[in-house]
Structure formats: structure tokens, C-alpha cells
Amino acid sequence: MVTVTGDASTGWQLKWLWKNYQYVLAFYFAIQEINKDPHLLPNLTLGFQLYNTIASNQFTLWGALHGLSGTMPICPNYSCQTQHSPVTVIAGTTSAFSEETQTLLELYRTPQLTYGPSDPMLSDRHRFPSLYQMATRDDALAQGILTLLLRFGWTWVALFVSDDMRGEWFLQELSGEMIRRGVCVALTVKLPTTKTMYAASDIAFMNRIPTSNASVHILYGDVRALVHIDISGEFFLTLGKVWVMVCKRDLVVYETTHLLHSFHGGFSFSHHHEEIPGLQAFLGTVNPSHYPEDFYFSTLWLQTFHCSLAGSLCGEIGVCPPNASLEFLPADMDMRTLSDASYSIYNAVHAVALALHGLLLRNVEMASSTATDWPVLLPWQLHPFLRKLQFVNSAGSHISLDETRNPTVRYDMHNIVSFPTGLGLLVKVGEFSSMNSEEPVLLIHEEWIEWPVAFIEAPQSVCSQSCSPGFMKILQEGKPVCCFMCVSCQDRSISNQTDAEQCIQCPEHEYPNRERTRCLPKLVTFLALEDSLGMALVCMVLSLALITAVVLGIFVKHQDTPIVKANNHTLSYMLLISLLLCFLCSFLFIGRPNTATCLLRQITFALVFTLAVSAVLAKTITVVLAFKAMKPGRTMRRLLVSGAPNAVIPICFLIQLTLCGIWLATSPPFVDTDAHSEHGHIILLCNEGSITAFYCVLGFLGSLALGTFTVAFLARKLPDTFNEAKFLTFSMLVFCSVWVTFLPVYQSTKGKVMVAVEVFSILASGAGLLGCIFVPKCYIILIKPEKNSLRSFRKKSRT
């Protein structure tokens, strides 16, 4: 015999009472299936007793004692029933009810199979060794809710949970999952689980329910806690909230006649289960005459169809419609849609039958062959069979009472739709499934969703608006992580996703675009021939080189004229050739740098300019010695005739060559890149290697130029007939001015502009020497040839 207890106190109107009656109908159908099955409990009929237990402190133990003793008044420890005591109790719409009932049933080790929602507290085998939960565990529930929240970008939610152990467990599970997934709690409210409806504490609680700025509210709790939130939702809560509930039907069937009810457009999670074959046909044909001892069935029929069938408890009253059936009950009393609790009751009855079947088979095998009566069955004997029981029900679902197993968890996700007539429907819009070995999957049809009246599309529920790509989040002190400010990424960094925690540095060879959402490859740049700047410098080089070559040709052609001879034509040739090389060495600075050009450019520049300046110094010394030799004494004449001034050139050249050799030996120039000076470009350049060696070479060249200028300046007042002392002085003044200006400009520029500055300084200083020294002579040779003669020289000397 099986005892099933149903909780009818969850309703404050008659609708709730009849809705819970589906538990009884599912129980009837399971008993009928078992008793008709010739292979299950053959030659036996499974009996049962039904009790309507009221879920309150004052009635719970009373109902359990009444079921065990079977008498009024109740006599504890005595059984006054004419039949055997039940071997199993199927009960428990709530965890509290199951816990209170099990306290008494454990004294007799009577198995209790609960059909309410799974509760981790009841899984404690030390406290509840005789209690079995039929509902699937909710281990993946928090994960499913979080997956839904993140699907719509809801990161700012309010929590309403029942103030009990089950609510506390759910709160811990959900909070942990929310922290891992970046969702924050705007408000947490614990719902009291009072037993008396409309008590003073309930009314006070309704007035204390706060509202939050979150558009999404998550609701979790047993039926008693959910009742309060439903009443409060009708009268106190603001509209425009999306409710995510973990209950399938208990609240929805009580929808008021107002279209703008708070739960309209919300979501409900419930365990997925297939339809039970034959159940709909059973519900379509069953009536009170099949169970005449059931007072509630007759009452339901009478109040719904205003009649009673013959053979029922109430007798025949009126004439029932010919099509009177549970199919035609009002929508808010729908008995044909199987609830989670009814599905668990169906499985619980089959579990008990299979356990009994196994126990009886074992007892028959162990009984003596002369035994004629069925052995007496004791409740505690079922435990070994229930603990390891696994079976496949008629719907094809695998059922196991071993709670340590981790089956595939599937949740149906329903959209709550309210109508002005008071009808509330649950429309399946999606499904969530989770397996340990696979990623959870959420399938949802967004086009089927009916949103709350205040929204025409999925609402936003965030503390702060998302940071678009190109920005990063900065947390606000003292606020949850979902409340933040958006700050633009700094230079050379990007963020390519929404709500980036930090910006990403672009590699050295890339740079951020203007929106700072992606890194772009930098263009390699250098002072190329194709550039306008490079082209201009090339034209200047060629022009100056051509002019130098022309001047050299003129001097070679007129080498026998007095003006060429008077200024030491050998030094003039050497100076012109060195100037030509100075101009041509500029090509080493233009174009793509490579190892050869990097090694040669500064070395060649230093050597040829040393040659040019030393040639100018030699010419200056020659001029000074020439005028000194005119005075009495042989020393100056001997120096002049021996060509001693020309020795300055190799000496200076060897000193500079030594410095360049040390530079190349210690830290030679090499090809390098500069990725920071110009936005979006990588500058290909020559790194000078040793800066000290570089400035030593320039320092020697500067010292030589300064010495040459000093000597020329001192010789500027010598007689000026074919005397170039003044021109040499002015040329060195231009030369020194160019390079003194070059140093600060060179240090303040970067990239190819820096190279262009050096090339321009080379050309300007060379042009200064060429123009100041040789242009006046070419003018006399070409324009005033009459002055380029001995007669003119003597005439000028006499005047």
C-alpha cells in the first residue's frame, strides 16, 4: 500500500486547490498502469491511501500521524487500521513539508519519495536516510539562468529568493556563477515563508518590498514564498520588469484580470520531460464515477459542470453534459498540461512498484517451497532496492534515485503571457541543456517572445552602458564591477571588443587606427629618391656636382693663366675634387639604408670634408707663406718652395682616418628602425653606433674648420692682388655657420627629416666653399679675361 499526500493549502482561491488536484490524477493514472501491467507485481493489486495534508506547522505532523495510526483521535505508536500500514509515502510539495514529515517517518524507517523541487539539504543521507527526491537536481539551474541573462546582455539584476535553506543554497550557487560571468546584483530580497495567508506580517512585507533600477528580477522559492511576491507584484511592484522565475505553473495560473500584470513577459524555467503515453486519453475519459470514494473529484465535477454522475460520492445530481470531461475545464484550471510535480508523482509510483516487485521476487526466492501466503512486507525492506533503482519510464526518460549521478540536465524555458481575460499561458520559447563533458547550450526563439508591456524589444538591464571598442572599463570605487566608467585607450593601444577590461598595446610594427579599435601595419619610410624631398635633394646634388665639374674644367683649361697659378692650382684641383666628392657622397644618405651605406655615409662624409677643409687650410697657409717669403730670410722661402703647406692635407686626413677606424672597430653604424617618431610609420635609418665616436669625428672636423677660419681671418689684410685670403675667410665663415646651425637642428629632428637636414648641410657648406673661393676666379677668367694677365697684374701693382 502506498500513501500519497497532497498540499492544498498553497491556494487562497479555489483555482489553486483544483490545480493541485492534477497530482491526484497523475497518481491515479500511474496506479492504473501498474495494476494493468501483467509483468509488474503479477497477481497483486497496488493499493493506496490519499491524504490532503495542509502545509503548516500545526497540521503537518498531525497529518503524518493520522496516516500512520489511521484513527481519530490520533494515537501515536498505535496503528488502528484494518489493513497493513503503507510501505511508502509519496509527499512533499515543499522542502519544509518533507523535512517535517520525515522527522516522524524516520522513526519507522518508512521511505518517503518527494515530488517537490529538488533541495540539496534533503540530499543529506545522514539526516534523511529514508528520503528520496524524484525531481532532477538543479545543479545547472544557475548556469542556465546566467546563460539567458548574458544572451540578452542583462548584467544588472535583482534577486528575490525564499528565506529558507533552499533559497540560501540557490543564492550561493547563483552568486558564485554571477561573479564568474560578470553579472552583478542590484538588490537581494529574501521572501518569508509564512504559513498563514494575509497575516499581518505578510501585509507589512508587501509594503517593504523595494523596487530597484534593474529591469530584470530573478525569482526563486517554494510556492508559499512565491504567493507573497505574486500578491505584491500585483499591487506594489513597478511595471516594466522582466521576471525570470524557477517555477512552471504555480504562479501563472493565478494571473489577475489586468493585462499589465507584473509577470507578463517574464520567463519560467522548468525541467524538461516528454509526454507520458496514454495520460491525455486517461484525462479525457476519467470522471468521478471511476473513483467514487474521492470526495474532491466529485466536488470538482459539481462546481465545474453543476452536476454529479451516478456512482460518485455525491450521487446523481442534475444531468451532466454528454461531453463533460476534464478537457473542457477553464484554461486557468488546465489539468491536461503535465506539471513537474505531477511528472515526479508518476515516476515515484513506478519507482515504488519496481522496488516492491524486486523485494517480492527476492522474498519468493528465499521462502520455503511449502509457504502459501505472501510474506509480510516491512517499509524498511524497500531501501536497498530504492537506493540503486534505475529504470526508463514510458516516456523514454531515464529515472534514477541515485542522486550522485550527473545525468544530462535539460530545462524548458517558457515565456509568461497574460491576457485581459485573466488567462495566463506559458509558451515554450527555448531550451537549455548541460552535460559535464560539453559546453552548455541555450536554444531560444527570440521572435516568439512576448516582452512586458513597457518594451517592444529586449530591454536593457545594466548598471553602466557598455564601453564600445576603443575604450576600456574603469571600475568605480565602492560600486559593483558592473558599474564603471569608459575611458579611451591611450596612445599605441587599442580595444577591439565591447567592455574591454584593459587596452592592448599594438606591436612595435603596428599602430592604432583613429578609433583605436585595431592595429594597422606601419608603413616603412626613409628618405627615398621617389619622395619630393629626396627628389629635390638629388637635383641639388647633381646641380652642384655639375657646377663643380665645370669649374674644375675651367681651371684645367686655364691652368697657365696667372690667376690659376697664383693660387696654387694643385691645391685648387684637390679642393674642387674633394668638393665634388662631398656633393656626391650625399647619395649615400638618400635611398633605402643598408649595411654598406650605413657604414660608408658618415665615414665618407668625414673624410672628404676633412680633405676639403685641409685643402683650404693648406691654401691659406700658402698665401701667408707667400707674403712672408717676400721679406728677407730664407726660412719662409724654403718652406714655401719645399711645399710644406701641402703636408697639412695628409696629416689631417690620417688623423680623421684614425678616428674613423677606431669608430668602425668599436661600434660601427648599423641599420636600425624608429617606430615611434612618426605616427603610422616605421622609419628605416642608420644608427650611428657609438655616439661618442660620431661626435669625435665631427669635433675634429669642426676644430679643423675653426683653425682654418682663424688662419684665414688673420691673413685677410694681406695685399689682394690675386690673393684669395679674404675669399677663404668668408668661405670658412659660411662653412662654420652652416655646421653650427646644423647641430641643434639635427638634434631636434627625427626620421628622414634628420637625414635631409644633414644632406642639406653638406650641400650648403660645400656650396659655400665653392661659391666663395671659385666663383670670383671664374668671373675673372670668363667675364674679365683682360684682368687675368701679367700686364694687368703689373699695372695694378704699380698703382
Side-chain angles (χ1 to χ4, degrees):
M1 179 179 295
V2 179
T3 296
V4 63
T5 63
D7 184 359
S9 66
T10 57
W12 57 90
Q13 291 186 357
L14 201 58
K15 297 177 183 179
W16 281 80
L17 178 67
W18 297 133
K19 197 62 191 176
N20 289 345
Y21 190 71
Q22 189 195 68
Y23 305 162
V24 179
L25 295 176
F27 182 79
Y28 283 158
F29 177 70
I31 292 290
Q32 176 180 291
E33 267 193 342
I34 293 168
N35 287 335
K36 288 183 177 180
D37 189 348
H39 304 290
L40 187 59
L41 298 177
N43 302 321
L44 291 177
T45 300
L46 185 62
F48 60 90
Q49 294 177 344
L50 291 175
Y51 291 91
N52 182 19
T53 57
I54 301 175
S56 65
N57 289 331
Q58 58 187 1
F59 288 112
T60 298
L61 292 179
W62 177 87
L65 284 171
H66 181 263
L68 292 173
S69 63
T71 182
M72 293 294 290
I74 297 173
C75 297
N77 287 335
Y78 286 90
S79 178
C80 303
Q81 302 180 86
T82 57
Q83 299 177 338
H84 292 301
S85 298
V87 293
T88 306
V89 174
I90 301 175
T93 55
T94 66
S95 302
F97 180 85
S98 300
E99 181 182 4
E100 294 163 357
T101 304
Q102 188 61 26
T103 302
L104 182 60
L105 295 178
E106 187 58 38
L107 298 175
Y108 304 94
R109 296 195 62 193
T110 301
Q112 178 187 185
L113 279 67
T114 66
Y115 55 86
S118 177
D119 189 338
M121 179 188 67
L122 299 180
S123 300
D124 188 349
R125 283 297 171 198
H126 296 287
R127 292 183 58 192
F128 307 105
S130 301
L131 188 143
Y132 304 90
Q133 299 187 82
M134 298 305 302
T136 306
R137 290 164 53 183
D138 285 330
D139 293 348
L141 179 59
Q143 190 179 34
I145 293 177
L146 262 295
T147 305
L148 173 65
L149 296 180
L150 295 178
R151 173 66 176 268
F152 293 105
W154 296 331
T155 58
W156 188 243
V157 300
L159 298 181
F160 293 81
V161 298
S162 55
D163 191 10
D164 54 14
M165 293 298 295
R166 184 164 172 261
E168 189 65 28
W169 168 84
F170 176 77
L171 185 60
Q172 292 179 2
E173 288 286 316
L174 187 64
S175 298
E177 192 71 20
M178 291 172 74
I179 292 174
R180 287 191 294 271
R181 307 287 286 274
V183 179
C184 301
V185 179
L187 174 71
T188 301
V189 177
K190 293 190 176 182
L191 309 175
T193 55
T194 54
K195 306 298 191 297
T196 305
M197 191 57 55
Y198 291 117
S201 59
D202 295 337
I203 303 299
F205 169 74
M206 295 175 194
N207 288 283
R208 292 196 311 268
I209 290 183
T211 57
S212 70
N213 58 352
S215 299
V216 177
H217 289 178
I218 299 175
L219 182 59
Y220 182 89
D222 61 22
V223 176
R224 291 169 292 181
L226 300 180
V227 165
H228 306 317
I229 198 67
D230 189 60
I231 297 175
S232 305
E234 180 180 353
F235 299 106
F236 293 91
L237 293 181
T238 57
L239 301 175
K241 305 292 184 182
V242 178
W243 287 86
V244 180
M245 299 187 290
V246 189
C247 58
K248 185 175 180 182
R249 311 176 61 190
D250 296 322
L251 285 180
V252 180
V253 296
Y254 175 64
E255 290 294 350
T256 64
T257 58
H258 305 288
L259 174 63
L260 301 179
H261 191 273
S262 293
F263 295 141
H264 173 72
F267 296 92
S268 173
F269 277 80
S270 62
H271 286 284
H272 174 82
H273 53 75
E274 303 294 340
E275 290 294 329
I276 299 175
L279 178 60
Q280 295 301 319
F282 171 80
L283 296 175
T285 57
V286 68
N287 59 59
S289 63
H290 297 156
Y291 301 95
E293 70 282 359
D294 188 344
F295 168 78
Y296 293 104
F297 204 174
S298 299
T299 305
L300 169 64
W301 213 263
L302 181 63
Q303 292 192 5
T304 304
F305 301 107
H306 307 290
C307 68
S308 179
L309 297 172
S312 65
L313 185 65
C314 300
E316 185 173 359
I317 301 176
V319 179
C320 291
N323 60 347
S325 170
L326 295 177
E327 296 182 22
F328 302 102
L329 290 178
D332 56 3
M333 295 171 56
D334 178 26
M335 298 285 180
R336 298 174 63 82
T337 303
L338 190 65
S339 67
D340 291 344
S342 300
Y343 184 73
S344 296
I345 290 174
Y346 174 82
N347 290 328
V349 175
H350 277 271
V352 172
L354 290 171
L356 285 171
H357 186 82
L359 176 61
L360 290 173
L361 287 179
R362 189 194 67 177
N363 290 346
V364 168
E365 292 174 357
M366 295 176 61
S368 62
S369 58
T370 58
T372 57
D373 297 331
W374 287 99
V376 177
L377 301 180
L378 299 175
W380 59 266
Q381 293 177 309
L382 287 179
H383 287 300
F385 297 91
L386 291 172
R387 290 192 187 105
K388 60 182 180 181
L389 181 64
Q390 297 184 31
F391 66 97
V392 178
N393 64 10
S394 60
S397 299
H398 190 278
I399 309 299
S400 174
L401 272 64
D402 182 6
E403 297 185 16
T404 60
R405 294 181 66 256
N406 293 313
T408 300
V409 178
R410 295 174 63 187
Y411 287 95
D412 289 334
M413 193 173 66
H414 294 81
N415 186 213
I416 303 171
V417 182
S418 303
F419 295 94
T421 58
L423 174 64
L425 295 180
L426 289 174
V427 180
K428 183 177 177 179
V429 294
E431 185 174 300
F432 173 79
S433 60
S434 174
M435 292 183 64
N436 289 338
S437 59
E438 298 179 5
E439 288 292 323
V441 178
L442 175 66
L443 301 176
I444 187 169
H445 300 279
E446 297 186 29
E447 65 276 10
W448 297 352
I449 298 175
E450 183 76 21
W451 296 107
V453 177
F455 306 106
I456 59 175
E457 59 183 9
Q460 285 190 334
S461 186
V462 295
C463 180
S464 300
Q465 293 296 324
S466 296
C467 294
S468 58
F471 293 81
M472 68 174 181
K473 298 192 301 184
I474 299 295
L475 300 182
Q476 300 183 37
E477 187 175 357
K479 293 187 177 181
V481 295
C482 298
C483 303
F484 48 82
M485 297 184 300
C486 297
V487 179
S488 177
C489 291
Q490 300 300 317
D491 293 339
R492 298 187 59 247
S493 61
I494 64 159
S495 65
N496 54 8
Q497 60 183 6
T498 302
D499 289 338
E501 296 289 342
Q502 59 183 3
C503 296
I504 306 170
Q505 285 288 114
C506 287
E508 288 289 332
H509 61 279
E510 295 182 347
Y511 72 101
N513 61 348
R514 181 171 298 180
E515 295 77 17
R516 303 193 184 282
T517 56
R518 61 193 180 100
C519 293
L520 303 175
K522 289 183 177 180
L523 299 176
V524 177
T525 183
F526 49 87
L527 186 59
L529 291 171
E530 296 80 10
D531 292 346
S532 57
L533 180 59
M535 188 68 70
L537 292 175
V538 168
C539 292
M540 292 175 62
V541 170
L542 293 176
S543 299
L544 291 173
L546 180 62
I547 293 171
T548 305
V550 170
V551 171
L552 179 60
I554 292 172
F555 267 61
V556 171
K557 182 178 181 180
H558 299 85
Q559 61 182 337
D560 296 327
T561 59
I563 196 170
V564 175
K565 289 182 177 181
N567 292 286
N568 195 332
H569 63 280
T570 304
L571 289 177
S572 297
Y573 297 157
M574 184 176 297
L575 179 57
L576 285 170
I577 293 172
S578 62
L579 286 177
L580 180 62
L581 294 176
C582 287
F583 294 139
L584 294 179
C585 80
S586 299
F587 283 116
L588 295 174
F589 293 83
I590 303 173
R592 187 182 186 92
N594 54 57
T595 303
T597 57
C598 286
L599 288 173
L600 291 175
R601 60 167 56 173
Q602 298 294 356
I603 303 298
T604 305
F605 154 72
L607 291 176
V608 295
F609 259 88
T610 299
L611 187 64
V613 175
S614 60
V616 174
L617 179 59
K619 287 175 71 67
T620 306
I621 295 174
T622 300
V623 171
V624 173
L625 291 178
F627 282 96
K628 295 289 184 180
M630 295 172 64
K631 297 181 179 181
R634 298 180 179 179
T635 304
M636 294 299 174
R637 185 183 297 272
R638 189 179 301 112
L639 290 175
L640 182 62
V641 173
S642 63
N646 296 343
V648 173
I649 298 174
I651 293 173
C652 294
F653 186 82
L654 288 175
I655 294 174
Q656 188 69 285
L657 185 62
T658 302
L659 292 175
C660 292
I662 295 173
W663 183 7
L664 293 177
T666 56
S667 180
F670 57 90
V671 180
D672 198 4
T673 57
D674 180 5
H676 308 295
S677 297
E678 291 188 19
H679 179 71
H681 293 84
I682 296 177
I683 302 172
L684 197 62
L685 49 81
C686 290
N687 190 307
E688 311 306 343
S690 174
I691 299 297
T692 303
F694 173 66
Y695 282 107
C696 285
V697 170
L698 289 183
F700 176 76
L701 183 59
S703 300
L704 183 61
L706 185 60
T708 303
F709 171 74
T710 303
V711 174
F713 181 78
L714 295 175
R716 72 188 186 283
K717 294 184 179 181
L718 295 173
D720 59 355
T721 302
F722 296 139
N723 176 22
E724 57 183 353
K726 291 182 180 179
F727 300 131
L728 293 175
T729 303
F730 189 68
S731 67
M732 292 311 302
L733 179 62
V734 173
F735 183 89
C736 292
S737 299
V738 169
W739 288 106
V740 168
T741 307
F742 160 78
L743 290 176
V745 176
Y746 184 80
Q747 292 297 327
S748 62
T749 55
K750 297 291 183 182
K752 61 183 181 181
V753 177
M754 181 176 66
V755 179
V757 167
E758 186 171 0
V759 173
F760 182 80
S761 299
I762 292 173
L763 298 178
S765 59
L769 293 177
L770 179 66
C772 293
I773 297 175
F774 294 100
V775 168
K777 296 178 175 58
C778 290
Y779 174 78
I780 293 175
I781 293 172
L782 299 177
I783 306 301
K784 299 289 185 179
E786 67 276 6
K787 293 184 178 182
N788 189 15
S789 64
L790 289 175
R791 182 185 305 170
S792 176
F793 173 74
R794 293 192 184 104
K795 182 179 180 180
K796 188 173 182 181
S797 298
R798 286 195 296 265
T799 59

